[in-house]
Amino acid sequence: MEQLIVVFLVLLYTGNGGTQNITGVGFQPDFTWIKSRSYATDHQIYDSVRGTTKALDSQHTGIEETMTTGLTSFDTDGFTSGAEVRSNTSGQTYVAWNWKANGSGSSNTNGTTNSTVSANVDAGFSIVSYTGSSGPDTIGHGLSKAPEMIIVKDRSSAQEWLVYHHSLTDAKDKYLRLDTTSAVADNTFWNDTAPTSSVFSVGTHGTNVNGATQIAFCFHDVAGYSKFGSYTGNGTTNNQITTGFKPALVIIKNAVANYRWYILDNNRDATNPAFHRLFAGNTQDESTNSTILEFNDTGFKLITSDAEVNQNNSNHVYMAFADTREYAYWYDQSGN
């Protein structure tokens, strides 16, 4: 038995309008997602495979931007930001969600299309870069189990953010969009094929635009640390969702209706209830007009009847992570 090292952390900071070394993560992140809490502006998503200064934003279909004053380095205890207004405006408050993968990545030849993969196998997370073809194709993801959630974005042309979630009914034919409120829909983005322990499948467009550079973020459950599940809303103020650990971050989407992706964490709300929410698909600043949930030792309890996260008899999907610095997790070599 070994102790899982710190692989995920929510960090809050205040911008200084210049160059700032943002510390306290506890590890060198490979995937950092930044959002201003105090004013309406774009999300900023960086990873070590695409490289520093290469930003995507989750509410736009646009191409990857080079932000020379954005995130300029991944550091041993966090990251450095320049004066970019979306990540470091003086006096504005920010949240950064940070994950550890495995550096800049290495070649993976498991699929019909070669990929570059940075994989944290024990933590069930990988960053995958590949170039689209006329498809369909399979892409090596570098994990030891089949991904249960995959987020794909075309970096070089204006395409939607496409989400695979195993909890959707007939998931291999279904997708959600991170950049909109759209409900679950049918398409061939996953080539009607479920992921395996070595590859995920892509069709002929969207997830596999011919000649386009694509980035994918792949996740699967790790007991005591992460969960990619679903629940049925009950429309009341008492709906307990069991993850098997106390979450530090929960992202929720009502899968069957045109509602927003809610992002809640236990750093912006250090004590229950949690009500400081951001939304993956828009630029809105932090909303605090009602309570949403309580974090507890076995998961989270919805304490709202709001249809966006607890619509009666409707399916909602979520992703949840524990703070591995605060909550120790023990695992065996198989990841069980």
Side-chain angles (χ1 to χ4, degrees):
M1 303 288 285
E2 299 180 26
Q3 188 176 25
L4 185 68
I5 62 173
V6 180
V7 293
F8 171 76
L9 190 83
V10 182
L11 186 69
L12 307 182
Y13 67 96
T14 300
N16 69 3
T19 297
Q20 182 172 190
N21 302 113
I22 297 155
T23 61
V25 173
F27 59 90
Q28 182 168 316
D30 293 296
F31 176 33
T32 294
W33 181 346
I34 301 169
K35 178 66 179 76
S36 172
R37 304 172 59 197
S38 52
Y39 77 112
T41 190
D42 297 346
H43 294 251
Q44 295 283 273
I45 294 175
Y46 297 90
D47 65 73
S48 58
V49 174
R50 291 180 299 121
T52 57
T53 76
K54 304 299 183 183
L56 292 165
D57 47 71
S58 62
Q59 80 285 353
H60 287 157
T61 60
I63 65 173
E64 178 182 273
E65 297 181 79
T66 299
M67 300 291 189
T68 57
T69 57
L71 189 153
T72 57
S73 66
F74 291 107
D75 307 326
T76 56
D77 189 31
F79 57 92
T80 297
S81 178
E84 168 57 43
V85 296
R86 285 166 279 192
S87 58
N88 198 23
T89 296
S90 180
Q92 299 292 344
T93 56
Y94 296 87
V95 58
W97 302 290
N98 301 274
W99 288 262
K100 182 175 179 58
N102 191 25
S104 60
S106 58
S107 177
N108 184 298
T109 59
N110 286 338
T112 57
T113 293
N114 292 347
S115 57
T116 298
V117 176
S118 176
N120 188 333
V121 175
D122 292 328
F125 169 56
S126 67
I127 306 165
V128 181
S129 176
Y130 62 98
T131 300
S133 75
S134 56
D137 288 297
T138 56
I139 311 296
H141 54 66
L143 300 176
S144 60
K145 299 179 181 179
E148 292 169 309
M149 186 168 181
I150 305 170
I151 304 171
V152 178
K153 179 68 178 77
D154 182 341
R155 302 164 54 190
S156 52
S157 62
Q159 299 286 336
E160 57 266 61
W161 286 82
L162 299 168
V163 179
Y164 167 89
H165 199 292
H166 75 115
S167 294
L168 297 170
T169 301
D170 197 19
K172 65 185 186 302
D173 290 328
K174 300 295 192 296
Y175 75 99
L176 292 163
R177 287 183 60 174
L178 190 67
D179 55 299
T180 72
T181 62
S182 299
V184 63
D186 297 316
N187 208 293
T188 58
F189 293 131
W190 319 113
N191 196 37
D192 194 21
T193 306
T196 73
S197 60
S198 59
V199 299
F200 64 93
S201 295
V202 291
T204 59
H205 63 292
T207 53
N208 198 22
V209 177
N210 191 26
T213 52
Q214 313 261 170
I215 195 75
F217 305 105
C218 301
F219 305 89
H220 66 69
D221 288 359
V222 175
Y225 161 62
S226 63
K227 183 74 175 177
F228 306 90
S230 66
Y231 61 88
T232 301
N234 66 11
T236 76
T237 57
N238 184 9
N239 190 1
Q240 173 66 37
I241 312 304
T242 300
T243 62
F245 55 88
K246 187 174 185 178
L249 170 68
V250 176
I251 302 177
I252 300 169
K253 173 71 173 81
N254 183 327
V256 296
N258 294 334
Y259 288 127
R260 297 169 291 184
W261 291 83
Y262 272 49
I263 308 175
L264 301 111
D265 63 66
N266 72 347
N267 204 330
R268 289 180 294 136
D269 286 300
T271 59
N272 284 319
F275 61 95
H276 289 84
R277 57 193 180 277
L278 292 163
F279 307 102
N282 67 46
T283 62
Q284 183 176 331
D285 57 349
E286 198 166 68
S287 175
T288 60
N289 62 337
S290 64
T291 58
I292 302 300
L293 57 79
E294 295 176 348
F295 296 107
N296 55 54
D297 288 342
T298 59
F300 58 96
K301 183 173 73 171
L302 295 157
I303 55 174
T304 178
S305 58
D306 188 335
E308 293 205 86
V309 294
N310 197 19
Q311 186 175 39
N312 193 36
N313 292 323
S314 291
N315 184 44
H316 302 72
V317 298
Y318 68 88
M319 57 194 303
F321 300 89
D323 179 344
T324 50
R325 182 176 60 178
E326 184 174 353
Y327 305 109
Y329 161 62
W330 295 82
Y331 68 100
D332 61 30
Q333 291 301 306
S334 66
N336 294 318

